[in-house]
Amino acid sequence: MLNSLPKKECNSWVGVKKGGAFTLITLSLLLGACTPEPEATVPETEVDTTLTETDDTDVEDVVEDTEELIGEMVTVTGEVEEDYGINTFVIEETGEIFGDKVLVINTAATEPILEEQNVRVTGEVRELVVAEFERDYDLTWEGDILRTIEAEYVGQPVIVADAVEVLDIP
């Protein structure tokens, strides 16, 4: 098209192209100065995969919110309802007659916890699978104790206690 224009028009067309380039450069510099600064980004943090401890968990919470608490560290306070030997007992909320109960496996037991003692238990919430617990914690539940635990607590929450503190002696 430039070849078909008369010389005078061709020169003016070139000037428009040069002026247009100047205009585009000027506009791009102005627009570049007006663009907002990029938003600040929050650095990614590593996900903590260690167990977390929840404060003031009730036995009722462990029983009713088991799915949310599986794998979590909890601290619960309650009264020992049943004693199944040196490392296994059941607690329920202190002062409750027909309250929720949860089985406790005391992995650091050196002496049995007795019925009617008030205790504070800190440990991981898990679902009871007898074979896993017998293998993982070298438990030897036998006879009536094994039958009772299998009948009442299989598939239910259990607290694998790292620490058990006796709050009073009956």
Side-chain angles (χ1 to χ4, degrees):
M1 179 169 160
L2 285 175
N3 294 336
S4 64
L5 294 174
K7 189 166 183 135
K8 183 179 179 189
E9 288 178 22
C10 187
N11 287 339
S12 66
W13 177 253
V14 172
V16 169
K17 283 179 78 179
K18 287 181 184 175
F22 177 75
T23 304
L24 285 175
I25 292 171
T26 305
L27 281 174
S28 66
L29 290 173
L30 289 174
L31 289 175
C34 294
T35 55
E37 291 184 25
E39 292 183 28
T41 57
V42 178
E44 289 187 30
T45 57
E46 290 185 28
V47 176
D48 185 8
T49 57
T50 59
L51 299 175
T52 57
E53 184 175 335
T54 56
D55 295 327
D56 302 326
T57 305
D58 295 327
V59 171
E60 179 181 14
D61 295 335
V62 174
V63 173
E64 292 181 6
D65 301 328
T66 302
E67 298 224 358
E68 290 90 27
L69 293 174
I70 293 288
E72 297 291 320
M73 291 292 284
V74 297
T75 298
V76 297
T77 302
E79 183 178 331
V80 177
E81 175 70 21
E82 297 173 69
D83 169 23
Y84 293 122
I86 191 167
N87 56 6
T88 309
F89 59 92
V90 175
I91 63 170
E92 70 178 355
E93 304 263 347
T94 304
E96 296 288 324
I97 296 175
F98 298 108
D100 291 312
K101 298 185 236 181
V102 68
L103 186 67
V104 176
I105 309 296
N106 187 1
T107 60
T110 56
E111 56 187 67
I113 303 297
L114 306 174
E115 289 181 17
E116 298 183 13
Q117 287 182 319
N118 287 312
V119 294
R120 180 177 298 116
V121 175
T122 300
E124 178 186 1
V125 177
R126 291 186 49 192
E127 184 178 324
L128 181 63
V129 177
V130 172
E132 286 179 16
F133 279 76
E134 287 180 328
R135 179 194 67 229
D136 294 349
Y137 302 106
D138 196 28
L139 300 174
T140 54
W141 294 320
E142 295 177 352
D144 290 340
I145 291 174
L146 178 59
R147 283 189 286 281
T148 299
I149 289 173
E150 287 178 327
E152 293 186 32
Y153 300 103
V154 167
Q156 298 298 313
V158 61
I159 299 174
V160 179
D162 293 330
V164 176
E165 177 185 359
V166 176
L167 301 177
D168 65 7
I169 298 174

